[in-house]
Amino acid sequence: MTVQNADVAHIFEHIADILAIENANPFRIRAYRNAARTIFSFTKPVAELVSEHGDLTELPGIGKDLASKIEEIVKTGELKFLKRLEKEIPRGLSELVEIPGIGPKKAKYLYKKLNIGSLDDLVSAARQGKVSKLKGFTVQGEKKLLQNIDTFKHSDQAKRTLWIEAHDLALSLIEHLQKIPEIEQIEVAGSYRRKKTTVGDLDLLVSCSSPLKVMEQFKSYDQVQEVRAMGDTKASVVLKSNFQVDLRVVDKESFGAALLYFTGSKAHNIHLRKIALEQGYKINEYGIFKGKIKLAGSEEARIYKQLGLGYIEPELREDLGEIEAARRGKLPKLVEQKFIRGDLHAHTDASDGQNSLEDMAAEAKRLGLEYLAITEHSKRVSIAHGLDAKLLEKHIRKIDQFNKAQNGMTLLKGIEVDILVDGKLDLPDSILELLDVRVCSVHYNLNLSMEKMTERIIRAMDNRYFNILAHPTGRLINKRAPYAFDLEKIMIAARDRGCFLEINCQPDRLDLEGEHCKLAKEIGVKLAISTDAHSTNQLHNMELGVAQARRGWLENSDIINTMSLNALLRYLKR
Ligand SMILES: [Zn+2]
Ligand SMILES: [Zn+2]
């Protein structure tokens, strides 16, 4: 996406904050604040004005100086003037004004009185009770301040919000907004809609005949901590979780165009605009135009159609060949959750799961699945009460018994067996051969060299009872990077040996990523989408893995758990 009005407004607000700390001329400060407001509520993207060589000084409150700054931001994404300012003030002081309860005035005051030049300075002063002794602060306020800083720091470290967290927020916010009966359409755009594993902020689009009502309702959401901007049809708030949500009310006739525009990705949109230009059209957030005539705008699909393209699913919009494929009518028919017939990785309270085998089976049935593999940890994972051969044998009998009772759900006898550091599996073949499916995992000794790790996994695959490589990269989003290994080599080895790789649906794992799925398809190795559920609730996470597969262009036939039970069991035999 090109630089948005909100970005420009944010930079100007930031400048105003710094100037205020520096005790600059109040008129100058106000000029930046006014400009920020003007640009934020301006209905046309300033980036477009710049690219059309429009006159920015025609905007209220924008003189030559500000106009050239806007131009610089649009063209370079940043502003040298701001960088210079940031150098002049004590490092970290501008961070202070980001803390709720501390405006520029208080930041300056703290700097003057206690020589506080950073967040850390402020924390230590507050802990010593120095802040509450100052005029305008209280003991209560000091406490609250420490809490706010803690929240801020926390959010700063884990900058990206997991998709599922954003999803929960989106659902509750939509429910709140839908109390306005005049709302006709409501969608969340942005990377959320493209189902990226993490989401930076939420972009809500609404069509409604009473925009002001929507604004009021938005503001009244009980999770709102701060209203950053509020116009007639646009607003931006920060929630208590420090998550930013932007909302726009757009005309019904432009809803599809706006949805397309704000869904992105930036690269996808740029490519679309180029195609439009080549065909003599123009597209923007209001529609697709030939000259002054609007050809479409209310629906995304009609805009694509006008460009001679099939409808491109949001998960594909990364400019990674989807536009070319759409042009040739060669878009994949993406896998859908309703075609998933079973789940091949789940734990019960026999190892580290929370629910019984019966409860897990009942929930899987309720979700419409036909089969569920029970895959407890093996003994190496002692912390999770991994099973040894004896316990596993007992467990196998229990599953046999369950299946005999014909509960309308077939449980597969499985294991999540550890891949030991030498590439051996954690349980003897004599017990592995009694199982329907073996999920194999690396949980320990993650710090091997790339060669050693690759060798270790391939050696494990040499075992004829190896079926599925679980959570293949080992990454934990925001917590742990993937371990070093050669994924391509592993995929080739898996294909050649009749093994499969897993897309793990745990919200902070979600490996494989979209591009890995694409690679798997190229190489010709099939994948399983598995929840790795440790509770009945987590069985619901299947959609997260399906989203990864869709981002990787995968179709039903690429996913082994879209198969019927009998076909799958045959397929798993090596
Ligand atoms: Zn595991
Ligand atoms: Zn597991």
Side-chain angles (χ1 to χ4, degrees), residues 1 160-161 163 166 188-203 243 259 261-266 314-315 317-318 547 551:
M1 194 83 43
R160 306 287 297 179
T161 302
W163 186 88
V188 187
S191 51
Y192 169 84
R193 185 159 177 252
R194 302 202 313 280
K195 306 271 176 72
K196 300 280 279 185
T197 50
T198 60
V199 174
D201 54 18
L202 282 185
D203 292 299
F243 195 61
L259 188 57
Y261 185 87
F262 290 107
T263 295
S265 67
K266 186 177 169 183
E315 293 95 323
R317 298 182 196 170
E318 303 291 342
R551 293 204 303 115

PDB file of all heavy atoms in Angstrom, residues 1 160-161 163 166 188-203 243 259 261-266 314-315 317-318 547 551:
ATOM      1  N   MET A   1       0.855  -1.196   0.000  1.00  0.00           N
ATOM      2  CA  MET A   1       0.000   0.000   0.000  1.00  0.00           C
ATOM      3  C   MET A   1       0.887   1.242   0.000  1.00  0.00           C
ATOM      4  O   MET A   1       1.908   1.284   0.662  1.00  0.00           O
ATOM      5  CB  MET A   1      -0.871  -0.036   1.247  1.00  0.00           C
ATOM      6  CG  MET A   1      -2.008   0.922   1.236  1.00  0.00           C
ATOM      7  SD  MET A   1      -3.471   0.331   0.365  1.00  0.00           S
ATOM      8  CE  MET A   1      -3.588  -1.346   0.907  1.00  0.00           C
ATOM      9  N   ARG A 160       3.898  -7.705  16.992  1.00  0.00           N
ATOM     10  CA  ARG A 160       2.893  -8.249  16.108  1.00  0.00           C
ATOM     11  C   ARG A 160       1.880  -9.058  16.901  1.00  0.00           C
ATOM     12  O   ARG A 160       2.222  -9.838  17.776  1.00  0.00           O
ATOM     13  CB  ARG A 160       3.554  -9.139  15.061  1.00  0.00           C
ATOM     14  CG  ARG A 160       4.663  -8.457  14.289  1.00  0.00           C
ATOM     15  CD  ARG A 160       4.164  -7.453  13.304  1.00  0.00           C
ATOM     16  NE  ARG A 160       3.342  -8.057  12.257  1.00  0.00           N
ATOM     17  CZ  ARG A 160       2.782  -7.350  11.287  1.00  0.00           C
ATOM     18  NH1 ARG A 160       2.937  -6.047  11.246  1.00  0.00           N
ATOM     19  NH2 ARG A 160       2.060  -7.947  10.373  1.00  0.00           N
ATOM     20  N   THR A 161       0.628  -8.857  16.576  1.00  0.00           N
ATOM     21  CA  THR A 161      -0.441  -9.581  17.239  1.00  0.00           C
ATOM     22  C   THR A 161      -0.747 -10.846  16.450  1.00  0.00           C
ATOM     23  O   THR A 161      -0.837 -10.807  15.226  1.00  0.00           O
ATOM     24  CB  THR A 161      -1.685  -8.681  17.301  1.00  0.00           C
ATOM     25  OG1 THR A 161      -1.324  -7.492  17.989  1.00  0.00           O
ATOM     26  CG2 THR A 161      -2.824  -9.360  18.025  1.00  0.00           C
ATOM     27  N   TRP A 163      -2.725 -13.700  14.637  1.00  0.00           N
ATOM     28  CA  TRP A 163      -3.959 -13.562  13.870  1.00  0.00           C
ATOM     29  C   TRP A 163      -5.173 -13.912  14.718  1.00  0.00           C
ATOM     30  O   TRP A 163      -6.187 -13.216  14.688  1.00  0.00           O
ATOM     31  CB  TRP A 163      -3.929 -14.459  12.620  1.00  0.00           C
ATOM     32  CG  TRP A 163      -5.112 -14.225  11.732  1.00  0.00           C
ATOM     33  CD1 TRP A 163      -5.218 -13.307  10.731  1.00  0.00           C
ATOM     34  CD2 TRP A 163      -6.386 -14.882  11.795  1.00  0.00           C
ATOM     35  NE1 TRP A 163      -6.464 -13.356  10.168  1.00  0.00           N
ATOM     36  CE2 TRP A 163      -7.204 -14.316  10.797  1.00  0.00           C
ATOM     37  CE3 TRP A 163      -6.912 -15.893  12.600  1.00  0.00           C
ATOM     38  CZ2 TRP A 163      -8.518 -14.723  10.576  1.00  0.00           C
ATOM     39  CZ3 TRP A 163      -8.225 -16.295  12.386  1.00  0.00           C
ATOM     40  CH2 TRP A 163      -9.011 -15.713  11.380  1.00  0.00           C
ATOM     41  N   ALA A 166      -6.194 -11.109  16.954  1.00  0.00           N
ATOM     42  CA  ALA A 166      -6.844 -10.065  16.156  1.00  0.00           C
ATOM     43  C   ALA A 166      -8.262 -10.502  15.783  1.00  0.00           C
ATOM     44  O   ALA A 166      -9.193  -9.696  15.758  1.00  0.00           O
ATOM     45  CB  ALA A 166      -6.027  -9.784  14.899  1.00  0.00           C
ATOM     46  N   VAL A 188     -13.452  -6.606   7.743  1.00  0.00           N
ATOM     47  CA  VAL A 188     -12.121  -6.248   8.203  1.00  0.00           C
ATOM     48  C   VAL A 188     -11.172  -6.474   7.037  1.00  0.00           C
ATOM     49  O   VAL A 188     -11.138  -7.563   6.473  1.00  0.00           O
ATOM     50  CB  VAL A 188     -11.681  -7.098   9.405  1.00  0.00           C
ATOM     51  CG1 VAL A 188     -10.373  -6.578   9.966  1.00  0.00           C
ATOM     52  CG2 VAL A 188     -12.762  -7.099  10.471  1.00  0.00           C
ATOM     53  N   ALA A 189     -10.439  -5.447   6.648  1.00  0.00           N
ATOM     54  CA  ALA A 189      -9.542  -5.556   5.491  1.00  0.00           C
ATOM     55  C   ALA A 189      -8.118  -5.853   5.965  1.00  0.00           C
ATOM     56  O   ALA A 189      -7.923  -6.489   6.988  1.00  0.00           O
ATOM     57  CB  ALA A 189      -9.614  -4.262   4.682  1.00  0.00           C
ATOM     58  N   GLY A 190      -7.140  -5.392   5.218  1.00  0.00           N
ATOM     59  CA  GLY A 190      -5.744  -5.484   5.648  1.00  0.00           C
ATOM     60  C   GLY A 190      -5.190  -6.897   5.720  1.00  0.00           C
ATOM     61  O   GLY A 190      -5.759  -7.843   5.180  1.00  0.00           O
ATOM     62  N   SER A 191      -4.055  -7.010   6.430  1.00  0.00           N
ATOM     63  CA  SER A 191      -3.382  -8.306   6.506  1.00  0.00           C
ATOM     64  C   SER A 191      -4.233  -9.316   7.270  1.00  0.00           C
ATOM     65  O   SER A 191      -4.075 -10.515   7.110  1.00  0.00           O
ATOM     66  CB  SER A 191      -2.013  -8.158   7.164  1.00  0.00           C
ATOM     67  OG  SER A 191      -2.128  -7.471   8.386  1.00  0.00           O
ATOM     68  N   TYR A 192      -5.149  -8.821   8.089  1.00  0.00           N
ATOM     69  CA  TYR A 192      -6.088  -9.723   8.769  1.00  0.00           C
ATOM     70  C   TYR A 192      -6.879 -10.520   7.733  1.00  0.00           C
ATOM     71  O   TYR A 192      -7.025 -11.723   7.829  1.00  0.00           O
ATOM     72  CB  TYR A 192      -7.047  -8.918   9.649  1.00  0.00           C
ATOM     73  CG  TYR A 192      -8.205  -9.738  10.169  1.00  0.00           C
ATOM     74  CD1 TYR A 192      -8.069 -10.513  11.312  1.00  0.00           C
ATOM     75  CD2 TYR A 192      -9.430  -9.761   9.499  1.00  0.00           C
ATOM     76  CE1 TYR A 192      -9.116 -11.288  11.779  1.00  0.00           C
ATOM     77  CE2 TYR A 192     -10.486 -10.529   9.957  1.00  0.00           C
ATOM     78  CZ  TYR A 192     -10.322 -11.291  11.097  1.00  0.00           C
ATOM     79  OH  TYR A 192     -11.360 -12.062  11.546  1.00  0.00           O
ATOM     80  N   ARG A 193      -7.368  -9.829   6.729  1.00  0.00           N
ATOM     81  CA  ARG A 193      -8.191 -10.504   5.722  1.00  0.00           C
ATOM     82  C   ARG A 193      -7.342 -11.415   4.840  1.00  0.00           C
ATOM     83  O   ARG A 193      -7.821 -12.420   4.328  1.00  0.00           O
ATOM     84  CB  ARG A 193      -8.919  -9.454   4.866  1.00  0.00           C
ATOM     85  CG  ARG A 193      -9.889 -10.052   3.872  1.00  0.00           C
ATOM     86  CD  ARG A 193     -10.938  -9.046   3.427  1.00  0.00           C
ATOM     87  NE  ARG A 193     -11.822  -9.619   2.430  1.00  0.00           N
ATOM     88  CZ  ARG A 193     -11.812  -9.279   1.139  1.00  0.00           C
ATOM     89  NH1 ARG A 193     -10.987  -8.344   0.706  1.00  0.00           N
ATOM     90  NH2 ARG A 193     -12.647  -9.858   0.301  1.00  0.00           N
ATOM     91  N   ARG A 194      -6.079 -11.049   4.676  1.00  0.00           N
ATOM     92  CA  ARG A 194      -5.189 -11.903   3.887  1.00  0.00           C
ATOM     93  C   ARG A 194      -4.682 -13.074   4.721  1.00  0.00           C
ATOM     94  O   ARG A 194      -3.886 -13.876   4.271  1.00  0.00           O
ATOM     95  CB  ARG A 194      -4.013 -11.092   3.333  1.00  0.00           C
ATOM     96  CG  ARG A 194      -4.440  -9.914   2.461  1.00  0.00           C
ATOM     97  CD  ARG A 194      -3.354  -9.447   1.506  1.00  0.00           C
ATOM     98  NE  ARG A 194      -2.045  -9.290   2.123  1.00  0.00           N
ATOM     99  CZ  ARG A 194      -1.663  -8.234   2.844  1.00  0.00           C
ATOM    100  NH1 ARG A 194      -2.499  -7.226   3.027  1.00  0.00           N
ATOM    101  NH2 ARG A 194      -0.466  -8.178   3.374  1.00  0.00           N
ATOM    102  N   LYS A 195      -5.107 -13.121   6.004  1.00  0.00           N
ATOM    103  CA  LYS A 195      -4.801 -14.228   6.908  1.00  0.00           C
ATOM    104  C   LYS A 195      -3.305 -14.395   7.156  1.00  0.00           C
ATOM    105  O   LYS A 195      -2.792 -15.514   7.248  1.00  0.00           O
ATOM    106  CB  LYS A 195      -5.381 -15.554   6.380  1.00  0.00           C
ATOM    107  CG  LYS A 195      -6.864 -15.521   6.081  1.00  0.00           C
ATOM    108  CD  LYS A 195      -7.671 -15.889   7.313  1.00  0.00           C
ATOM    109  CE  LYS A 195      -9.164 -15.764   7.073  1.00  0.00           C
ATOM    110  NZ  LYS A 195      -9.696 -16.808   6.220  1.00  0.00           N
ATOM    111  N   LYS A 196      -2.609 -13.271   7.263  1.00  0.00           N
ATOM    112  CA  LYS A 196      -1.204 -13.367   7.638  1.00  0.00           C
ATOM    113  C   LYS A 196      -1.126 -13.922   9.064  1.00  0.00           C
ATOM    114  O   LYS A 196      -2.053 -13.739   9.857  1.00  0.00           O
ATOM    115  CB  LYS A 196      -0.550 -11.983   7.580  1.00  0.00           C
ATOM    116  CG  LYS A 196      -0.608 -11.331   6.200  1.00  0.00           C
ATOM    117  CD  LYS A 196       0.444 -11.853   5.269  1.00  0.00           C
ATOM    118  CE  LYS A 196       1.774 -11.169   5.528  1.00  0.00           C
ATOM    119  NZ  LYS A 196       2.791 -11.587   4.554  1.00  0.00           N
ATOM    120  N   THR A 197      -0.015 -14.568   9.412  1.00  0.00           N
ATOM    121  CA  THR A 197       0.070 -15.202  10.731  1.00  0.00           C
ATOM    122  C   THR A 197       0.010 -14.180  11.859  1.00  0.00           C
ATOM    123  O   THR A 197      -0.472 -14.470  12.941  1.00  0.00           O
ATOM    124  CB  THR A 197       1.368 -16.014  10.872  1.00  0.00           C
ATOM    125  OG1 THR A 197       2.450 -15.188  10.472  1.00  0.00           O
ATOM    126  CG2 THR A 197       1.333 -17.243  10.011  1.00  0.00           C
ATOM    127  N   THR A 198       0.529 -12.979  11.589  1.00  0.00           N
ATOM    128  CA  THR A 198       0.409 -11.910  12.571  1.00  0.00           C
ATOM    129  C   THR A 198      -0.147 -10.677  11.885  1.00  0.00           C
ATOM    130  O   THR A 198      -0.023 -10.516  10.678  1.00  0.00           O
ATOM    131  CB  THR A 198       1.763 -11.551  13.209  1.00  0.00           C
ATOM    132  OG1 THR A 198       2.651 -11.130  12.177  1.00  0.00           O
ATOM    133  CG2 THR A 198       2.361 -12.726  13.954  1.00  0.00           C
ATOM    134  N   VAL A 199      -0.750  -9.815  12.694  1.00  0.00           N
ATOM    135  CA  VAL A 199      -1.471  -8.669  12.150  1.00  0.00           C
ATOM    136  C   VAL A 199      -0.999  -7.415  12.884  1.00  0.00           C
ATOM    137  O   VAL A 199      -0.887  -7.419  14.109  1.00  0.00           O
ATOM    138  CB  VAL A 199      -2.990  -8.874  12.363  1.00  0.00           C
ATOM    139  CG1 VAL A 199      -3.770  -7.650  11.946  1.00  0.00           C
ATOM    140  CG2 VAL A 199      -3.473 -10.099  11.606  1.00  0.00           C
ATOM    141  N   GLY A 200      -0.691  -6.352  12.132  1.00  0.00           N
ATOM    142  CA  GLY A 200      -0.201  -5.122  12.752  1.00  0.00           C
ATOM    143  C   GLY A 200      -1.308  -4.296  13.381  1.00  0.00           C
ATOM    144  O   GLY A 200      -1.184  -3.811  14.494  1.00  0.00           O
ATOM    145  N   ASP A 201      -2.408  -4.129  12.655  1.00  0.00           N
ATOM    146  CA  ASP A 201      -3.560  -3.408  13.192  1.00  0.00           C
ATOM    147  C   ASP A 201      -4.799  -3.861  12.427  1.00  0.00           C
ATOM    148  O   ASP A 201      -4.701  -4.652  11.498  1.00  0.00           O
ATOM    149  CB  ASP A 201      -3.368  -1.888  13.081  1.00  0.00           C
ATOM    150  CG  ASP A 201      -3.046  -1.455  11.658  1.00  0.00           C
ATOM    151  OD1 ASP A 201      -3.304  -2.234  10.719  1.00  0.00           O
ATOM    152  OD2 ASP A 201      -2.543  -0.341  11.477  1.00  0.00           O
ATOM    153  N   LEU A 202      -5.955  -3.376  12.835  1.00  0.00           N
ATOM    154  CA  LEU A 202      -7.189  -3.768  12.149  1.00  0.00           C
ATOM    155  C   LEU A 202      -7.712  -2.600  11.327  1.00  0.00           C
ATOM    156  O   LEU A 202      -7.725  -1.459  11.794  1.00  0.00           O
ATOM    157  CB  LEU A 202      -8.265  -4.178  13.159  1.00  0.00           C
ATOM    158  CG  LEU A 202      -8.186  -5.563  13.795  1.00  0.00           C
ATOM    159  CD1 LEU A 202      -9.415  -5.800  14.658  1.00  0.00           C
ATOM    160  CD2 LEU A 202      -8.045  -6.669  12.767  1.00  0.00           C
ATOM    161  N   ASP A 203      -8.140  -2.893  10.101  1.00  0.00           N
ATOM    162  CA  ASP A 203      -8.767  -1.897   9.233  1.00  0.00           C
ATOM    163  C   ASP A 203     -10.210  -2.297   9.003  1.00  0.00           C
ATOM    164  O   ASP A 203     -10.473  -3.229   8.257  1.00  0.00           O
ATOM    165  CB  ASP A 203      -8.054  -1.842   7.874  1.00  0.00           C
ATOM    166  CG  ASP A 203      -6.660  -1.283   7.989  1.00  0.00           C
ATOM    167  OD1 ASP A 203      -6.549  -0.126   8.413  1.00  0.00           O
ATOM    168  OD2 ASP A 203      -5.701  -2.004   7.664  1.00  0.00           O
ATOM    169  N   PHE A 243      -3.620  -2.247  20.774  1.00  0.00           N
ATOM    170  CA  PHE A 243      -3.823  -2.622  19.384  1.00  0.00           C
ATOM    171  C   PHE A 243      -4.577  -1.488  18.699  1.00  0.00           C
ATOM    172  O   PHE A 243      -5.561  -0.985  19.232  1.00  0.00           O
ATOM    173  CB  PHE A 243      -4.637  -3.916  19.365  1.00  0.00           C
ATOM    174  CG  PHE A 243      -4.646  -4.620  18.050  1.00  0.00           C
ATOM    175  CD1 PHE A 243      -3.474  -5.077  17.482  1.00  0.00           C
ATOM    176  CD2 PHE A 243      -5.841  -4.859  17.396  1.00  0.00           C
ATOM    177  CE1 PHE A 243      -3.487  -5.746  16.274  1.00  0.00           C
ATOM    178  CE2 PHE A 243      -5.860  -5.529  16.194  1.00  0.00           C
ATOM    179  CZ  PHE A 243      -4.686  -5.972  15.628  1.00  0.00           C
ATOM    180  N   LEU A 259     -12.661  -2.041  -0.169  1.00  0.00           N
ATOM    181  CA  LEU A 259     -12.239  -3.323   0.405  1.00  0.00           C
ATOM    182  C   LEU A 259     -10.991  -3.840  -0.312  1.00  0.00           C
ATOM    183  O   LEU A 259     -10.027  -4.284   0.313  1.00  0.00           O
ATOM    184  CB  LEU A 259     -13.385  -4.333   0.289  1.00  0.00           C
ATOM    185  CG  LEU A 259     -13.199  -5.674   0.992  1.00  0.00           C
ATOM    186  CD1 LEU A 259     -12.926  -5.484   2.469  1.00  0.00           C
ATOM    187  CD2 LEU A 259     -14.431  -6.555   0.782  1.00  0.00           C
ATOM    188  N   TYR A 261      -8.846  -2.020  -1.978  1.00  0.00           N
ATOM    189  CA  TYR A 261      -7.749  -1.093  -1.711  1.00  0.00           C
ATOM    190  C   TYR A 261      -7.133  -1.356  -0.343  1.00  0.00           C
ATOM    191  O   TYR A 261      -5.915  -1.442  -0.192  1.00  0.00           O
ATOM    192  CB  TYR A 261      -8.284   0.341  -1.793  1.00  0.00           C
ATOM    193  CG  TYR A 261      -7.245   1.421  -1.649  1.00  0.00           C
ATOM    194  CD1 TYR A 261      -6.540   1.878  -2.757  1.00  0.00           C
ATOM    195  CD2 TYR A 261      -6.984   1.994  -0.415  1.00  0.00           C
ATOM    196  CE1 TYR A 261      -5.591   2.876  -2.631  1.00  0.00           C
ATOM    197  CE2 TYR A 261      -6.036   2.993  -0.277  1.00  0.00           C
ATOM    198  CZ  TYR A 261      -5.345   3.430  -1.384  1.00  0.00           C
ATOM    199  OH  TYR A 261      -4.401   4.417  -1.251  1.00  0.00           O
ATOM    200  N   PHE A 262      -7.981  -1.487   0.677  1.00  0.00           N
ATOM    201  CA  PHE A 262      -7.455  -1.593   2.038  1.00  0.00           C
ATOM    202  C   PHE A 262      -7.085  -3.024   2.429  1.00  0.00           C
ATOM    203  O   PHE A 262      -6.493  -3.245   3.470  1.00  0.00           O
ATOM    204  CB  PHE A 262      -8.439  -0.989   3.045  1.00  0.00           C
ATOM    205  CG  PHE A 262      -8.517   0.507   2.934  1.00  0.00           C
ATOM    206  CD1 PHE A 262      -9.629   1.126   2.387  1.00  0.00           C
ATOM    207  CD2 PHE A 262      -7.440   1.289   3.341  1.00  0.00           C
ATOM    208  CE1 PHE A 262      -9.678   2.507   2.260  1.00  0.00           C
ATOM    209  CE2 PHE A 262      -7.477   2.666   3.222  1.00  0.00           C
ATOM    210  CZ  PHE A 262      -8.601   3.277   2.677  1.00  0.00           C
ATOM    211  N   THR A 263      -7.441  -3.989   1.590  1.00  0.00           N
ATOM    212  CA  THR A 263      -7.001  -5.357   1.869  1.00  0.00           C
ATOM    213  C   THR A 263      -5.548  -5.536   1.455  1.00  0.00           C
ATOM    214  O   THR A 263      -4.800  -6.272   2.074  1.00  0.00           O
ATOM    215  CB  THR A 263      -7.906  -6.375   1.144  1.00  0.00           C
ATOM    216  OG1 THR A 263      -9.225  -6.279   1.684  1.00  0.00           O
ATOM    217  CG2 THR A 263      -7.407  -7.797   1.332  1.00  0.00           C
ATOM    218  N   GLY A 264      -5.134  -4.804   0.412  1.00  0.00           N
ATOM    219  CA  GLY A 264      -3.757  -4.944  -0.046  1.00  0.00           C
ATOM    220  C   GLY A 264      -3.552  -6.296  -0.717  1.00  0.00           C
ATOM    221  O   GLY A 264      -4.504  -6.903  -1.170  1.00  0.00           O
ATOM    222  N   SER A 265      -2.329  -6.823  -0.759  1.00  0.00           N
ATOM    223  CA  SER A 265      -1.161  -6.133  -0.253  1.00  0.00           C
ATOM    224  C   SER A 265      -0.808  -4.942  -1.139  1.00  0.00           C
ATOM    225  O   SER A 265      -1.357  -4.797  -2.221  1.00  0.00           O
ATOM    226  CB  SER A 265       0.029  -7.093  -0.206  1.00  0.00           C
ATOM    227  OG  SER A 265       0.405  -7.439  -1.530  1.00  0.00           O
ATOM    228  N   LYS A 266       0.108  -4.166  -0.663  1.00  0.00           N
ATOM    229  CA  LYS A 266       0.578  -3.015  -1.414  1.00  0.00           C
ATOM    230  C   LYS A 266       1.049  -3.451  -2.803  1.00  0.00           C
ATOM    231  O   LYS A 266       0.693  -2.855  -3.815  1.00  0.00           O
ATOM    232  CB  LYS A 266       1.731  -2.398  -0.625  1.00  0.00           C
ATOM    233  CG  LYS A 266       2.262  -1.116  -1.161  1.00  0.00           C
ATOM    234  CD  LYS A 266       3.358  -0.616  -0.213  1.00  0.00           C
ATOM    235  CE  LYS A 266       4.133   0.532  -0.825  1.00  0.00           C
ATOM    236  NZ  LYS A 266       5.222   0.961   0.077  1.00  0.00           N
ATOM    237  N   PRO A 314      -8.386 -13.240  -1.130  1.00  0.00           N
ATOM    238  CA  PRO A 314      -7.493 -12.346  -0.371  1.00  0.00           C
ATOM    239  C   PRO A 314      -6.173 -13.007   0.037  1.00  0.00           C
ATOM    240  O   PRO A 314      -5.130 -12.358   0.020  1.00  0.00           O
ATOM    241  CB  PRO A 314      -8.323 -11.999   0.865  1.00  0.00           C
ATOM    242  CG  PRO A 314      -9.735 -12.171   0.453  1.00  0.00           C
ATOM    243  CD  PRO A 314      -9.745 -13.260  -0.580  1.00  0.00           C
ATOM    244  N   GLU A 315      -6.219 -14.301   0.367  1.00  0.00           N
ATOM    245  CA  GLU A 315      -4.991 -14.975   0.824  1.00  0.00           C
ATOM    246  C   GLU A 315      -3.905 -14.991  -0.249  1.00  0.00           C
ATOM    247  O   GLU A 315      -2.738 -15.199   0.055  1.00  0.00           O
ATOM    248  CB  GLU A 315      -5.291 -16.425   1.237  1.00  0.00           C
ATOM    249  CG  GLU A 315      -6.161 -16.563   2.466  1.00  0.00           C
ATOM    250  CD  GLU A 315      -7.629 -16.730   2.115  1.00  0.00           C
ATOM    251  OE1 GLU A 315      -8.083 -16.096   1.133  1.00  0.00           O
ATOM    252  OE2 GLU A 315      -8.318 -17.482   2.822  1.00  0.00           O
ATOM    253  N   ARG A 317      -3.296 -12.457  -2.414  1.00  0.00           N
ATOM    254  CA  ARG A 317      -2.967 -11.119  -2.933  1.00  0.00           C
ATOM    255  C   ARG A 317      -1.626 -10.603  -2.421  1.00  0.00           C
ATOM    256  O   ARG A 317      -1.560  -9.747  -1.545  1.00  0.00           O
ATOM    257  CB  ARG A 317      -4.088 -10.135  -2.560  1.00  0.00           C
ATOM    258  CG  ARG A 317      -5.419 -10.530  -3.182  1.00  0.00           C
ATOM    259  CD  ARG A 317      -6.498  -9.529  -2.851  1.00  0.00           C
ATOM    260  NE  ARG A 317      -7.821 -10.083  -3.122  1.00  0.00           N
ATOM    261  CZ  ARG A 317      -8.949  -9.503  -2.756  1.00  0.00           C
ATOM    262  NH1 ARG A 317      -8.915  -8.346  -2.102  1.00  0.00           N
ATOM    263  NH2 ARG A 317     -10.101 -10.071  -3.035  1.00  0.00           N
ATOM    264  N   GLU A 318      -0.564 -11.165  -2.941  1.00  0.00           N
ATOM    265  CA  GLU A 318       0.779 -10.757  -2.524  1.00  0.00           C
ATOM    266  C   GLU A 318       1.643 -10.395  -3.724  1.00  0.00           C
ATOM    267  O   GLU A 318       2.842 -10.183  -3.580  1.00  0.00           O
ATOM    268  CB  GLU A 318       1.449 -11.889  -1.727  1.00  0.00           C
ATOM    269  CG  GLU A 318       0.673 -12.359  -0.499  1.00  0.00           C
ATOM    270  CD  GLU A 318       0.624 -11.332   0.627  1.00  0.00           C
ATOM    271  OE1 GLU A 318       1.451 -10.391   0.620  1.00  0.00           O
ATOM    272  OE2 GLU A 318      -0.259 -11.461   1.504  1.00  0.00           O
ATOM    273  N   ALA A 547      -5.796 -21.646   6.453  1.00  0.00           N
ATOM    274  CA  ALA A 547      -5.419 -20.333   5.924  1.00  0.00           C
ATOM    275  C   ALA A 547      -3.978 -20.353   5.409  1.00  0.00           C
ATOM    276  O   ALA A 547      -3.676 -19.797   4.351  1.00  0.00           O
ATOM    277  CB  ALA A 547      -5.581 -19.262   7.001  1.00  0.00           C
ATOM    278  N   ARG A 551      -2.804 -19.625   1.640  1.00  0.00           N
ATOM    279  CA  ARG A 551      -1.796 -18.624   1.278  1.00  0.00           C
ATOM    280  C   ARG A 551      -0.688 -19.256   0.449  1.00  0.00           C
ATOM    281  O   ARG A 551       0.044 -18.561  -0.253  1.00  0.00           O
ATOM    282  CB  ARG A 551      -1.227 -17.966   2.536  1.00  0.00           C
ATOM    283  CG  ARG A 551      -2.282 -17.118   3.254  1.00  0.00           C
ATOM    284  CD  ARG A 551      -1.694 -16.022   4.111  1.00  0.00           C
ATOM    285  NE  ARG A 551      -0.790 -16.512   5.111  1.00  0.00           N
ATOM    286  CZ  ARG A 551       0.505 -16.237   5.137  1.00  0.00           C
ATOM    287  NH1 ARG A 551       1.038 -15.455   4.234  1.00  0.00           N
ATOM    288  NH2 ARG A 551       1.260 -16.737   6.076  1.00  0.00           N
TER     289      ARG A 551
END
